[in-house]
């Protein structure tokens, strides 16, 4: 099956700093990538949808200036959490799709801890 | 708006017992897709099944079976002869399209299999 990787798998950063999370489709071209956030013992909530070469579409309540998403190529999307705060600590999961008739493939997730 | 309800927050069963995880969904779309994912403690989502709205046939895969009933908007998941390795959080999800539409996740059911 298709493989999606995320890097880093875990990151700890200090409050006020920015952290970048990468999501890569390893063996297919991802026209669409999704970023989800999962707080402890809660469900996955979609943050944004990004299509290659265009601006991301953010879900209601997600600050686009705080969570910068870039989908510059068909195999890479990045999520940058700017000026991170402890409340941003969460599990971030990306998924990738290679078209309207194909399923989404999920990455292994990135656990962010902001101290 | 789409909504997925997993009323069972936590379930514990003794090993070898059968267990059914409930999923009820709401959507106005005539074409949609339903999914089940397993999330072990490692956090990575494991895809279990995808079912489109036109296919109401029940499916069996080894110890897993799924019962899709459009009349009651339910897509229940049964594990027979449960094993300790089945312990995880299970999510039911709903999508409007196969790959390039966001998924709406239920709140998940934490399943614990007691040895």
């Amino acid at each position: 099956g298709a493989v999606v990787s995320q890097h880093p798998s875990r990151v700890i950063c200090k409050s006020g700093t920015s952290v970048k999370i990468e999501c890569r489709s390893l063996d297919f071209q991802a026209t669409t990538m999704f970023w989800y956030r999962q707080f402890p013992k809660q469900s996955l909530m979609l943050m944004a949808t990004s299509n290659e070469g265009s601006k991301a579409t953010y879900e209601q309540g997600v600050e686009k200036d705080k969570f910068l998403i870039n989908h510059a190529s068909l195999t890479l999307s990045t999520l940058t959490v700017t000026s991170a705060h402890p409340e941003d600590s969460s599990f971030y999961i990306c998924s990738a799709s290679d078209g309207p008739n194909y399923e989404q493939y999920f990455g292994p997730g990135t656990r962010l801890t902001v101290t | 708006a789409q909504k997925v309800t997993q009323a069972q927050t936590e379930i514990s069963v003794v090993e070898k017992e059968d267990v059914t995880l409930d999923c009820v969904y709401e959507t106005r779309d005539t074409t949609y897709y339903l999914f089940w994912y397993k999330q072990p403690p490692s956090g990575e989502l494991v895809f279990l099944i995808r079912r489109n709205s036109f296919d109401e046939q029940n499916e069996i895969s080894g110890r897993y079976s799924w019962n899709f009933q459009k009349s009651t908007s339910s897509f229940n998941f049964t594990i027979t002869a449960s094993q300790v390795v089945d312990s995880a959080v299970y999510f039911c999800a709903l999508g409007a399209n196969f790959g390039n539409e966001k998924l709406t996740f239920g709140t998940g059911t934490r399943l614990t299999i007691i040895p």
Side-chain angles (χ1 to χ4, degrees):
Chain A
V3 178
V4 175
S5 70
Q6 280 185 245
H7 178 80
S9 57
R10 289 178 179 270
V11 58
I12 300 173
C13 70
K14 292 187 176 179
S15 187
T17 61
S18 296
V19 60
K20 180 185 287 187
I21 302 170
E22 293 185 349
C23 176
R24 291 181 185 272
S25 57
L26 299 185
D27 50 3
F28 68 99
Q29 293 186 326
T31 52
T32 305
M33 285 185 169
F34 304 86
W35 286 95
Y36 294 84
R37 179 169 55 185
Q38 184 181 28
F39 291 110
K41 297 193 176 183
Q42 293 190 26
S43 186
L44 283 78
M45 300 299 294
L46 180 70
M47 299 175 66
T49 303
S50 73
N51 293 297
E52 185 267 338
S54 60
K55 290 184 178 180
T57 302
Y58 289 80
E59 294 297 299
Q60 194 171 10
V62 178
E63 299 175 59
K64 62 179 181 181
D65 294 330
K66 180 171 182 60
F67 298 99
L68 302 178
I69 292 173
N70 185 289
H71 191 167
S73 78
L74 284 172
T75 59
L76 174 64
S77 176
T78 60
L79 166 66
T80 302
V81 183
T82 62
S83 186
H85 290 287
E87 56 265 30
D88 298 324
S89 298
S90 186
F91 192 55
Y92 292 87
I93 305 175
C94 74
S95 69
S97 167
D98 58 0
N101 296 314
Y102 297 90
E103 64 185 273
Q104 288 185 37
Y105 302 96
F106 282 85
T110 296
R111 193 165 301 281
L112 169 65
T113 303
V114 184
T115 61
Chain B
Q2 297 188 323
K3 185 179 178 182
V4 176
T5 301
Q6 293 181 256
Q8 304 150 310
T9 307
E10 296 190 25
I11 299 176
S12 294
V13 300
V14 176
E15 195 173 18
K16 296 185 183 176
E17 286 186 354
D18 299 346
V19 58
T20 295
L21 309 182
D22 297 333
C23 173
V24 174
Y25 63 92
E26 295 176 32
T27 181
R28 293 181 181 176
D29 295 324
T30 54
T31 302
Y32 52 88
Y33 294 85
L34 295 162
F35 303 78
W36 274 96
Y37 290 90
K38 174 182 180 181
Q39 188 178 42
S42 63
E44 185 165 357
L45 283 177
V46 178
F47 169 80
L48 296 178
I49 190 172
R50 172 189 60 247
R51 172 67 76 214
N52 76 56
S53 53
F54 296 110
D55 183 2
E56 286 193 70
Q57 257 192 333
N58 292 330
E59 182 157 339
I60 297 175
S61 176
R63 296 184 296 108
Y64 296 168
S65 62
W66 291 268
N67 184 319
F68 176 28
Q69 295 209 350
K70 233 172 166 177
S71 60
T72 56
S73 297
S74 65
F75 187 44
N76 297 337
F77 171 35
T78 297
I79 301 174
T80 58
S82 60
Q83 300 176 2
V84 173
V85 293
D86 296 328
S87 296
V89 179
Y90 290 85
F91 290 99
C92 179
L94 170 66
N97 202 338
F98 202 46
N100 69 344
E101 295 288 338
K102 66 179 184 179
L103 295 182
T104 299
F105 284 82
T107 49
T109 297
R110 182 175 299 275
L111 176 64
T112 302
I113 309 299
I114 304 167

